[in-house]
Amino acid sequence: MMKQGFSRRLHDLLIQIYPDHDQSDLAERITEAFWPPHSHARKIGRKPGNGLWSEKDSVLITYGNSVEDQTHKPLDVLHDFLIRHLRGVVNGVHILPFFPFTSDDGFAVSDYYSVSTQLGDWSDITRIAGDFHLMSDLVLNHVSSQGAWFSNYLQGKAPHDRFFFEASPEDDLAPVVRPRTTPLLRQVTTSEGERHVWCTFSHDQVDLDFRNPEVLIEMLRIIRLHIDKGVRILRLDAVAFVWKEIGTSCIHLPQTHAIVQLLRLMCDYATETVVLLTETNVPRSENLSYFGNRDEAHAVYNFTLPPLILHAMQSGTARYLREWQAAMPPAQLGCAYLNFTASHDGIGMRPAEGVLPPEEKARMIDTVRGLGGLVSMRALPNGGEEPYELNCSYFEAMRGTFAGEDHYQLARFICSQTIVMSLEGIPAFYIHSFLATPNDHEAVERRGMNRAINRHRWHYPDLLSRLADPGSDQSRVLSEMSRRLRIRARQPAFHPNATQFTLRLDDRVFGIWRQSLDRSQSIFALHNVSPEEVRISPTEINLIADEAWKDALTGETFGANASEFVLAPYQCRWITNVQRR
């Protein structure tokens, strides 16, 4: 029997979301959707705490076919790669949408209940889930215009005839915030006549209408399927846009937050340990709002990191990264940041708003373009456009700086990834960062989309050959990143919720102090973001006297009276008082 606390909380949320419906009936149907006969709920919900993750956690982000050999199922090939090269390096894997789809590399889902036959089947998913913490995408804002749901809508077939958000070109749509420049509305012919459906992202991705509670109930059934197949991290894709009201921005509306709170409530009472991660590529305050009051997302993407780390590495100064980090609040109890530099999307520029001056963003954009990268735009309410994201392999973006290309690409790139490993939160790495993948211009030309530049598909035999060559970029990057992640996993001061303090040092050095939850270990993580040698005095970092110190990355030891720490160009040091390697 469910506790009264659960029932009361669910009832309160349903009043916020669906005030004109029968909340008791909805609560019963929602509970049945999430806990069908084969499953059951906890009697007591989980309380917020820091036990959901540890310093041992890190995540790989990949498509199901980022490595393939044209012989075996891509998910089998991916599993082989994971076991062969990343076991003991990462313990979490985010497989980007693995369902049948029609566009946007999986984010226009045509069937939520199947695995794309081009990748494999559910047995392949559960096999990977048996070896790694598996993250899947809940693409809950929109579905494919070519799927059964939308086809039923066009034909007026229940229940999907009320599944999609309609609007009129005469409505006040000027305030709507969008990440695209394509027209918002798409005219379609239905059994009831001409209609205009809402398309936040593309005309093949038609937005669902969560004002209809049947949509939410269906999504809960899909979540249950994911959990039953072994998924333990749910990524809520584009969640900020799920609730619309004409005349508003249609982003971050109160009902949206209430829906996330409802999903969190269900997960807190699930017998399985399920983590909610929100994907909201927006400025900091908007992004952090999805922690709620420890009652929404367990984790949020740290979207400001990719552009700020890129700027630091290209400019040679950590000033803006340091000032931003110093003002970042620690995650609330039971919450964590997901830190990253690269993903299947581009390097978002919106999160840099108010952090990087316009002239610095312009220099970054010019530099990325000079290195072969591309720029995608977004529409503004006034009809104008502005850069939305930079499309470029992160490894390629490290090929040069504002001063031009040089020979520090690999060192600069490893430094950028080490910053991600050092920060409060859980580190996540795109597969193409592990593999030093260059820009794929051929894919851009062939597929006609900027994001294809960073979605290369490796031919597995070719990749294995490169990884077997110790002189290749792929082997050198994977080897060094793996080495550092293994070291990181043994440092309790790198627990995602361990204390963090931003150090004020030479602008060329990004430094933070981490202290383990039990206060037994300190790590001074120093990262030289410049092509120059930098010397740091122990007094600058308040190094505790009367203790022996060691660089966990090099094994170099320092006495209590060390005179200075030398950082070569782009060198990183993890100076710790605990002898762990």
Short mmCIF file of all heavy atoms in Angstrom, two decimals, residues 339-391:
data_model
loop_
_atom_site.label_atom_id
_atom_site.label_comp_id
_atom_site.label_asym_id
_atom_site.label_seq_id
_atom_site.Cartn_x
_atom_site.Cartn_y
_atom_site.Cartn_z
N ASN A 339 29.12 17.07 -15.87
CA ASN A 339 30.11 17.93 -16.52
C ASN A 339 30.59 17.31 -17.83
O ASN A 339 30.85 16.10 -17.89
CB ASN A 339 31.30 18.15 -15.58
CG ASN A 339 30.90 18.85 -14.30
OD1 ASN A 339 30.06 19.74 -14.32
ND2 ASN A 339 31.48 18.45 -13.18
N PHE A 340 30.73 18.13 -18.84
CA PHE A 340 31.15 17.63 -20.15
C PHE A 340 31.69 18.79 -20.98
O PHE A 340 31.52 19.96 -20.63
CB PHE A 340 29.96 16.98 -20.87
CG PHE A 340 28.91 17.97 -21.35
CD1 PHE A 340 28.73 18.20 -22.69
CD2 PHE A 340 28.12 18.66 -20.44
CE1 PHE A 340 27.77 19.12 -23.14
CE2 PHE A 340 27.16 19.57 -20.88
CZ PHE A 340 26.99 19.80 -22.22
N THR A 341 32.35 18.47 -22.08
CA THR A 341 32.76 19.50 -23.04
C THR A 341 32.13 19.26 -24.40
O THR A 341 31.90 20.21 -25.15
CB THR A 341 34.29 19.54 -23.23
OG1 THR A 341 34.74 18.24 -23.66
CG2 THR A 341 35.00 19.94 -21.95
N ALA A 342 31.86 18.00 -24.73
CA ALA A 342 31.37 17.68 -26.07
C ALA A 342 30.24 16.69 -25.97
O ALA A 342 30.17 15.87 -25.06
CB ALA A 342 32.50 17.10 -26.93
N SER A 343 29.33 16.76 -26.94
CA SER A 343 28.23 15.82 -27.03
C SER A 343 27.87 15.66 -28.49
O SER A 343 28.56 16.18 -29.38
CB SER A 343 27.02 16.33 -26.22
OG SER A 343 26.41 17.42 -26.89
N HIS A 344 26.76 14.96 -28.74
CA HIS A 344 26.30 14.76 -30.11
C HIS A 344 25.84 16.07 -30.74
O HIS A 344 25.76 16.18 -31.96
CB HIS A 344 25.17 13.75 -30.14
CG HIS A 344 23.96 14.19 -29.37
ND1 HIS A 344 23.95 14.32 -27.99
CD2 HIS A 344 22.72 14.56 -29.78
CE1 HIS A 344 22.78 14.73 -27.60
NE2 HIS A 344 21.99 14.90 -28.66
N ASP A 345 25.50 17.05 -29.91
CA ASP A 345 25.12 18.37 -30.41
C ASP A 345 26.36 19.25 -30.51
O ASP A 345 27.48 18.82 -30.24
CB ASP A 345 24.08 19.01 -29.49
CG ASP A 345 22.73 18.31 -29.57
OD1 ASP A 345 22.47 17.65 -30.59
OD2 ASP A 345 21.96 18.44 -28.62
N GLY A 346 26.16 20.51 -30.85
CA GLY A 346 27.28 21.42 -30.93
C GLY A 346 27.63 21.99 -29.56
O GLY A 346 27.08 21.61 -28.52
N ILE A 347 28.57 22.92 -29.56
CA ILE A 347 28.98 23.62 -28.35
C ILE A 347 28.02 24.80 -28.18
O ILE A 347 28.10 25.78 -28.91
CB ILE A 347 30.44 24.10 -28.47
CG1 ILE A 347 31.36 22.91 -28.73
CG2 ILE A 347 30.86 24.86 -27.21
CD1 ILE A 347 32.74 23.30 -29.24
N GLY A 348 27.09 24.67 -27.25
CA GLY A 348 26.03 25.66 -27.10
C GLY A 348 26.55 27.02 -26.69
O GLY A 348 27.39 27.13 -25.79
N MET A 349 26.03 28.07 -27.33
CA MET A 349 26.46 29.43 -27.01
C MET A 349 25.51 30.14 -26.06
O MET A 349 25.88 31.10 -25.40
CB MET A 349 26.61 30.24 -28.30
CG MET A 349 27.72 29.72 -29.23
SD MET A 349 29.33 29.70 -28.44
CE MET A 349 29.66 31.45 -28.28
N ARG A 350 24.26 29.69 -25.96
CA ARG A 350 23.31 30.34 -25.05
C ARG A 350 23.79 30.31 -23.60
O ARG A 350 23.65 31.29 -22.87
CB ARG A 350 21.93 29.70 -25.16
CG ARG A 350 21.12 30.15 -26.36
CD ARG A 350 19.62 30.08 -26.05
NE ARG A 350 19.23 31.10 -25.09
CZ ARG A 350 18.15 31.01 -24.31
NH1 ARG A 350 17.39 29.92 -24.36
NH2 ARG A 350 17.84 31.96 -23.47
N PRO A 351 24.35 29.20 -23.13
CA PRO A 351 24.80 29.18 -21.74
C PRO A 351 25.92 30.18 -21.45
O PRO A 351 26.19 30.48 -20.28
CB PRO A 351 25.29 27.74 -21.54
CG PRO A 351 24.50 26.95 -22.53
CD PRO A 351 24.40 27.85 -23.73
N ALA A 352 26.59 30.69 -22.48
CA ALA A 352 27.65 31.67 -22.28
C ALA A 352 27.12 33.09 -22.18
O ALA A 352 27.88 34.03 -21.92
CB ALA A 352 28.68 31.58 -23.42
N GLU A 353 25.80 33.24 -22.37
CA GLU A 353 25.21 34.58 -22.31
C GLU A 353 25.41 35.17 -20.91
O GLU A 353 25.15 34.53 -19.90
CB GLU A 353 23.71 34.51 -22.63
CG GLU A 353 23.41 34.16 -24.07
CD GLU A 353 21.93 33.97 -24.34
OE1 GLU A 353 21.12 34.27 -23.43
OE2 GLU A 353 21.57 33.51 -25.43
N GLY A 354 25.89 36.41 -20.87
CA GLY A 354 26.13 37.08 -19.60
C GLY A 354 27.41 36.64 -18.91
O GLY A 354 27.73 37.15 -17.83
N VAL A 355 28.12 35.71 -19.51
CA VAL A 355 29.37 35.22 -18.92
C VAL A 355 30.56 35.66 -19.77
O VAL A 355 31.54 36.22 -19.26
CB VAL A 355 29.37 33.69 -18.79
CG1 VAL A 355 30.65 33.20 -18.13
CG2 VAL A 355 28.15 33.22 -17.98
N LEU A 356 30.48 35.41 -21.06
CA LEU A 356 31.52 35.84 -21.99
C LEU A 356 31.09 37.14 -22.67
O LEU A 356 29.97 37.22 -23.19
CB LEU A 356 31.78 34.78 -23.06
CG LEU A 356 32.59 33.55 -22.66
CD1 LEU A 356 32.68 32.58 -23.83
CD2 LEU A 356 33.99 33.93 -22.18
N PRO A 357 31.94 38.16 -22.69
CA PRO A 357 31.60 39.39 -23.42
C PRO A 357 31.42 39.09 -24.90
O PRO A 357 32.01 38.14 -25.44
CB PRO A 357 32.83 40.28 -23.18
CG PRO A 357 33.49 39.73 -21.97
CD PRO A 357 33.24 38.25 -22.00
N PRO A 358 30.62 39.89 -25.59
CA PRO A 358 30.36 39.65 -27.02
C PRO A 358 31.63 39.53 -27.85
O PRO A 358 31.72 38.69 -28.75
CB PRO A 358 29.52 40.85 -27.44
CG PRO A 358 28.85 41.29 -26.18
CD PRO A 358 29.82 41.03 -25.08
N GLU A 359 32.63 40.37 -27.54
CA GLU A 359 33.85 40.33 -28.34
C GLU A 359 34.62 39.02 -28.14
O GLU A 359 35.28 38.53 -29.06
CB GLU A 359 34.76 41.53 -28.01
CG GLU A 359 35.24 41.62 -26.57
CD GLU A 359 34.28 42.37 -25.67
OE1 GLU A 359 33.10 42.55 -26.05
OE2 GLU A 359 34.71 42.77 -24.57
N GLU A 360 34.53 38.45 -26.93
CA GLU A 360 35.21 37.17 -26.69
C GLU A 360 34.48 36.03 -27.40
O GLU A 360 35.12 35.12 -27.94
CB GLU A 360 35.30 36.91 -25.18
CG GLU A 360 36.18 37.88 -24.42
CD GLU A 360 37.63 37.83 -24.88
OE1 GLU A 360 38.15 36.72 -25.11
OE2 GLU A 360 38.24 38.91 -25.03
N LYS A 361 33.16 36.08 -27.40
CA LYS A 361 32.41 35.07 -28.14
C LYS A 361 32.71 35.17 -29.63
O LYS A 361 32.86 34.14 -30.32
CB LYS A 361 30.91 35.24 -27.88
CG LYS A 361 30.48 34.82 -26.49
CD LYS A 361 28.98 34.64 -26.37
CE LYS A 361 28.23 35.94 -26.41
NZ LYS A 361 26.78 35.79 -26.14
N ALA A 362 32.83 36.39 -30.12
CA ALA A 362 33.11 36.58 -31.55
C ALA A 362 34.49 36.00 -31.90
O ALA A 362 34.65 35.37 -32.96
CB ALA A 362 33.05 38.06 -31.89
N ARG A 363 35.48 36.19 -31.03
CA ARG A 363 36.82 35.65 -31.29
C ARG A 363 36.78 34.12 -31.31
O ARG A 363 37.44 33.47 -32.13
CB ARG A 363 37.81 36.13 -30.23
CG ARG A 363 38.09 37.62 -30.26
CD ARG A 363 39.05 38.03 -29.16
NE ARG A 363 40.42 37.62 -29.48
CZ ARG A 363 41.44 37.69 -28.61
NH1 ARG A 363 41.21 38.11 -27.37
NH2 ARG A 363 42.65 37.32 -28.97
N MET A 364 36.00 33.55 -30.40
CA MET A 364 35.87 32.10 -30.35
C MET A 364 35.23 31.58 -31.63
O MET A 364 35.68 30.58 -32.22
CB MET A 364 35.01 31.72 -29.14
CG MET A 364 35.52 30.54 -28.36
SD MET A 364 34.71 30.40 -26.75
CE MET A 364 33.03 30.15 -27.20
N ILE A 365 34.16 32.22 -32.05
CA ILE A 365 33.46 31.80 -33.26
C ILE A 365 34.39 31.89 -34.47
O ILE A 365 34.45 30.96 -35.29
CB ILE A 365 32.20 32.66 -33.47
CG1 ILE A 365 31.17 32.35 -32.39
CG2 ILE A 365 31.60 32.44 -34.86
CD1 ILE A 365 29.99 33.32 -32.34
N ASP A 366 35.13 32.99 -34.57
CA ASP A 366 36.05 33.15 -35.70
C ASP A 366 37.14 32.08 -35.67
O ASP A 366 37.53 31.55 -36.72
CB ASP A 366 36.70 34.54 -35.66
CG ASP A 366 35.72 35.65 -36.01
OD1 ASP A 366 34.65 35.34 -36.59
OD2 ASP A 366 36.02 36.82 -35.71
N THR A 367 37.63 31.75 -34.47
CA THR A 367 38.68 30.74 -34.35
C THR A 367 38.17 29.37 -34.76
O THR A 367 38.84 28.63 -35.49
CB THR A 367 39.23 30.70 -32.92
OG1 THR A 367 39.76 31.98 -32.57
CG2 THR A 367 40.32 29.65 -32.77
N VAL A 368 36.97 29.01 -34.31
CA VAL A 368 36.39 27.71 -34.66
C VAL A 368 36.16 27.63 -36.16
O VAL A 368 36.45 26.61 -36.80
CB VAL A 368 35.09 27.47 -33.87
CG1 VAL A 368 34.32 26.29 -34.46
CG2 VAL A 368 35.39 27.23 -32.40
N ARG A 369 35.66 28.70 -36.74
CA ARG A 369 35.48 28.70 -38.19
C ARG A 369 36.81 28.53 -38.91
O ARG A 369 36.91 27.81 -39.91
CB ARG A 369 34.81 30.01 -38.63
CG ARG A 369 33.29 30.01 -38.46
CD ARG A 369 32.69 31.32 -38.91
NE ARG A 369 31.23 31.24 -39.03
CZ ARG A 369 30.41 32.23 -38.77
NH1 ARG A 369 30.88 33.40 -38.35
NH2 ARG A 369 29.11 32.08 -38.91
N GLY A 370 37.86 29.19 -38.40
CA GLY A 370 39.17 29.07 -39.01
C GLY A 370 39.75 27.67 -38.92
O GLY A 370 40.61 27.30 -39.72
N LEU A 371 39.26 26.89 -37.95
CA LEU A 371 39.72 25.51 -37.78
C LEU A 371 38.82 24.51 -38.50
O LEU A 371 38.94 23.31 -38.31
CB LEU A 371 39.79 25.16 -36.28
CG LEU A 371 40.81 25.97 -35.47
CD1 LEU A 371 40.62 25.72 -33.98
CD2 LEU A 371 42.23 25.62 -35.89
N GLY A 372 37.90 25.02 -39.31
CA GLY A 372 37.03 24.16 -40.10
C GLY A 372 35.68 23.88 -39.49
O GLY A 372 34.90 23.08 -40.02
N GLY A 373 35.37 24.54 -38.35
CA GLY A 373 34.09 24.35 -37.71
C GLY A 373 32.99 25.16 -38.36
O GLY A 373 33.23 26.01 -39.22
N LEU A 374 31.75 24.91 -37.94
CA LEU A 374 30.58 25.58 -38.48
C LEU A 374 29.80 26.25 -37.35
O LEU A 374 30.05 25.99 -36.17
CB LEU A 374 29.68 24.58 -39.21
CG LEU A 374 30.37 23.76 -40.32
CD1 LEU A 374 29.45 22.63 -40.79
CD2 LEU A 374 30.78 24.65 -41.47
N VAL A 375 28.85 27.10 -37.71
CA VAL A 375 28.04 27.81 -36.72
C VAL A 375 26.57 27.65 -37.10
O VAL A 375 26.19 27.89 -38.25
CB VAL A 375 28.40 29.31 -36.66
CG1 VAL A 375 27.52 30.02 -35.62
CG2 VAL A 375 29.88 29.50 -36.32
N SER A 376 25.75 27.23 -36.12
CA SER A 376 24.30 27.13 -36.32
C SER A 376 23.62 28.28 -35.61
O SER A 376 24.07 28.72 -34.54
CB SER A 376 23.77 25.80 -35.78
OG SER A 376 24.28 24.72 -36.55
N MET A 377 22.54 28.77 -36.18
CA MET A 377 21.86 29.96 -35.66
C MET A 377 20.52 29.59 -35.02
O MET A 377 19.97 28.52 -35.25
CB MET A 377 21.62 30.95 -36.80
CG MET A 377 22.85 31.24 -37.66
SD MET A 377 24.21 32.00 -36.73
CE MET A 377 23.54 33.67 -36.53
N ARG A 378 20.00 30.51 -34.21
CA ARG A 378 18.66 30.37 -33.66
C ARG A 378 17.88 31.64 -33.94
O ARG A 378 18.47 32.73 -34.10
CB ARG A 378 18.68 30.08 -32.16
CG ARG A 378 19.01 31.27 -31.27
CD ARG A 378 18.98 30.86 -29.80
NE ARG A 378 19.20 31.99 -28.91
CZ ARG A 378 18.24 32.65 -28.28
NH1 ARG A 378 16.97 32.31 -28.47
NH2 ARG A 378 18.52 33.65 -27.47
N ALA A 379 16.56 31.51 -34.01
CA ALA A 379 15.71 32.65 -34.28
C ALA A 379 15.46 33.46 -33.02
O ALA A 379 15.33 32.91 -31.93
CB ALA A 379 14.37 32.18 -34.86
N LEU A 380 15.39 34.77 -33.15
CA LEU A 380 15.08 35.67 -32.04
C LEU A 380 13.65 36.18 -32.17
O LEU A 380 13.10 36.22 -33.28
CB LEU A 380 16.06 36.86 -32.04
CG LEU A 380 17.54 36.51 -31.83
CD1 LEU A 380 18.39 37.77 -31.95
CD2 LEU A 380 17.75 35.87 -30.47
N PRO A 381 13.01 36.55 -31.06
CA PRO A 381 11.62 37.04 -31.13
C PRO A 381 11.43 38.22 -32.07
O PRO A 381 10.35 38.40 -32.63
CB PRO A 381 11.32 37.43 -29.68
CG PRO A 381 12.22 36.56 -28.86
CD PRO A 381 13.48 36.44 -29.67
N ASN A 382 12.50 39.03 -32.26
CA ASN A 382 12.37 40.20 -33.14
C ASN A 382 12.57 39.86 -34.61
O ASN A 382 12.61 40.76 -35.46
CB ASN A 382 13.36 41.29 -32.72
CG ASN A 382 14.82 40.85 -32.84
OD1 ASN A 382 15.11 39.79 -33.40
ND2 ASN A 382 15.73 41.65 -32.32
N GLY A 383 12.73 38.58 -34.90
CA GLY A 383 12.91 38.16 -36.28
C GLY A 383 14.35 38.00 -36.70
O GLY A 383 14.64 37.50 -37.79
N GLY A 384 15.29 38.40 -35.84
CA GLY A 384 16.70 38.25 -36.15
C GLY A 384 17.23 36.87 -35.81
O GLY A 384 16.47 35.96 -35.44
N GLU A 385 18.54 36.73 -35.94
CA GLU A 385 19.19 35.47 -35.64
C GLU A 385 20.46 35.75 -34.82
O GLU A 385 21.01 36.84 -34.88
CB GLU A 385 19.59 34.72 -36.92
CG GLU A 385 18.44 34.27 -37.79
CD GLU A 385 18.92 33.53 -39.03
OE1 GLU A 385 20.15 33.45 -39.25
OE2 GLU A 385 18.06 33.04 -39.77
N GLU A 386 20.91 34.72 -34.08
CA GLU A 386 22.18 34.80 -33.40
C GLU A 386 22.76 33.40 -33.29
O GLU A 386 22.03 32.41 -33.37
CB GLU A 386 22.04 35.44 -32.02
CG GLU A 386 21.36 34.60 -30.98
CD GLU A 386 21.41 35.24 -29.61
OE1 GLU A 386 21.83 36.40 -29.50
OE2 GLU A 386 21.01 34.56 -28.63
N PRO A 387 24.09 33.28 -33.11
CA PRO A 387 24.69 31.95 -33.00
C PRO A 387 24.10 31.15 -31.85
O PRO A 387 24.01 31.64 -30.71
CB PRO A 387 26.18 32.26 -32.76
CG PRO A 387 26.39 33.60 -33.39
CD PRO A 387 25.12 34.36 -33.12
N TYR A 388 23.67 29.94 -32.15
CA TYR A 388 23.10 29.05 -31.14
C TYR A 388 24.13 28.03 -30.66
O TYR A 388 24.21 27.73 -29.47
CB TYR A 388 21.89 28.33 -31.73
CG TYR A 388 21.29 27.29 -30.80
CD1 TYR A 388 20.62 27.69 -29.64
CD2 TYR A 388 21.37 25.93 -31.08
CE1 TYR A 388 20.07 26.75 -28.78
CE2 TYR A 388 20.82 24.99 -30.23
CZ TYR A 388 20.17 25.39 -29.08
OH TYR A 388 19.62 24.46 -28.23
N GLU A 389 24.93 27.52 -31.60
CA GLU A 389 25.96 26.55 -31.22
C GLU A 389 27.06 26.52 -32.26
O GLU A 389 26.87 26.88 -33.43
CB GLU A 389 25.36 25.15 -31.04
CG GLU A 389 24.81 24.55 -32.32
CD GLU A 389 24.21 23.16 -32.13
OE1 GLU A 389 23.88 22.81 -30.98
OE2 GLU A 389 24.09 22.43 -33.13
N LEU A 390 28.24 26.10 -31.81
CA LEU A 390 29.38 25.87 -32.68
C LEU A 390 29.43 24.39 -33.01
O LEU A 390 29.34 23.55 -32.11
CB LEU A 390 30.68 26.30 -32.00
CG LEU A 390 30.71 27.72 -31.43
CD1 LEU A 390 32.07 28.00 -30.79
CD2 LEU A 390 30.41 28.75 -32.50
N ASN A 391 29.56 24.08 -34.26
CA ASN A 391 29.61 22.68 -34.69
C ASN A 391 31.03 22.33 -35.08
O ASN A 391 31.54 22.78 -36.11
CB ASN A 391 28.65 22.45 -35.85
CG ASN A 391 27.22 22.80 -35.49
OD1 ASN A 391 26.66 23.77 -35.99
ND2 ASN A 391 26.62 22.03 -34.60
#
